[in-house]
Amino acid sequence: LGSVPLIELKPQHLQHLFADKRASGLSNRTVQLINVVLHKALKNAVKLGLLSRNVTEAVDAPKIQRREMHTMSETDIHIFLEMARSTEYYALFYTLLFTGMRRAEALALRWQDVDLLLCQISINRSMQYLQNGPIEDRIVFKQPKTVKSRRMISLSPSTVAVLQEHHEAQNKLRQLIGLPPISDADLVFCHYNGSP
């Protein structure tokens, strides 16, 4: 496109561009986003009188190919949890599997967000890891991007039992190393010293 004057731009130029981008390894979604940006830019050019028509309207945007989601079977979940049982991540994996919450949401959970009596978890923030800056400032907690992301999740009785065991194990470990008992503001899933 760079060598074609704007006034001479034709639909086949865009079709060649999209084909070249797909051949270079870009996904259909990325090529579709290129089309969206071009459409907006050419629409503005038409509005300013630089073009008489928007040629992106004569080109079919690439279709997004939806990948089939592969989920774990009941047997897979059982095997996975048996393998995870001996790790420090068992409660985290169990909670993720049986609530459907995102990893960033689970890692941001505080004990005040977990109600083991009413069997529910309140999702009101998520953890993000920043690539730049001092190491101690790379983990930040943010509110969810959308109102729908702030929600209550019901817990199964087995998840409540796993979280109760996790809470007790955390308290015992903290006591062994001389740290104060868990407070409501402490993270549910964290290192032994309470850090993310």
Side-chain angles (χ1 to χ4, degrees), residues 26-181:
L26 292 181
S27 70
N28 280 359
R29 175 67 179 145
T30 303
V31 176
Q32 191 180 56
L33 290 173
I34 292 170
N35 181 55
V36 168
V37 170
L38 284 172
H39 179 78
K40 178 74 173 156
L42 295 178
K43 183 178 176 182
N44 286 338
V46 170
K47 195 183 286 187
L48 294 171
L50 300 173
L51 291 175
S52 59
R53 76 179 189 128
N54 186 343
V55 295
T56 59
E57 293 172 356
V59 177
D60 290 330
K63 301 284 185 244
I64 297 177
Q65 297 163 334
R66 302 268 183 225
R67 283 191 239 152
E68 185 179 335
M69 186 181 291
H70 298 285
T71 57
M72 296 173 83
S73 69
E74 191 174 333
T75 303
D76 293 338
I77 291 171
H78 178 71
I79 292 168
F80 177 80
L81 289 174
E82 278 305 309
M83 298 300 288
R85 187 177 293 281
S86 61
T87 72
E88 61 187 297
Y89 303 109
Y90 177 72
L92 172 62
F93 292 147
Y94 197 99
T95 304
L96 288 171
L97 281 169
F98 289 97
T99 62
M101 75 175 76
R102 297 172 186 91
R103 181 181 66 159
E105 294 169 339
L107 294 177
L109 279 180
R110 296 162 294 191
W111 283 109
Q112 67 193 29
D113 303 321
V114 179
D115 190 331
L116 297 175
L117 291 176
L118 294 178
C119 303
Q120 60 189 15
I121 288 178
S122 172
I123 303 296
N124 53 40
R125 65 184 198 156
S126 67
M127 177 190 287
Q128 292 184 349
Y129 181 80
L130 306 175
Q131 295 294 330
N132 301 322
I135 289 178
E136 63 274 3
D137 295 334
R138 288 190 182 178
I139 294 177
V140 295
F141 296 97
K142 294 191 172 185
Q143 288 189 352
K145 293 177 185 175
T146 64
V147 174
K148 282 186 176 181
S149 294
R150 293 179 74 103
R151 63 198 187 282
M152 297 295 284
I153 296 176
S154 296
L155 298 175
S156 66
S158 63
T159 307
V160 170
V162 166
L163 287 171
Q164 283 173 329
E165 287 174 20
H166 179 63
H167 188 273
E168 291 167 13
Q170 268 187 341
N171 258 336
K172 284 179 187 172
L173 181 60
R174 288 174 70 100
Q175 187 179 14
L176 279 172
I177 58 177
L179 292 174

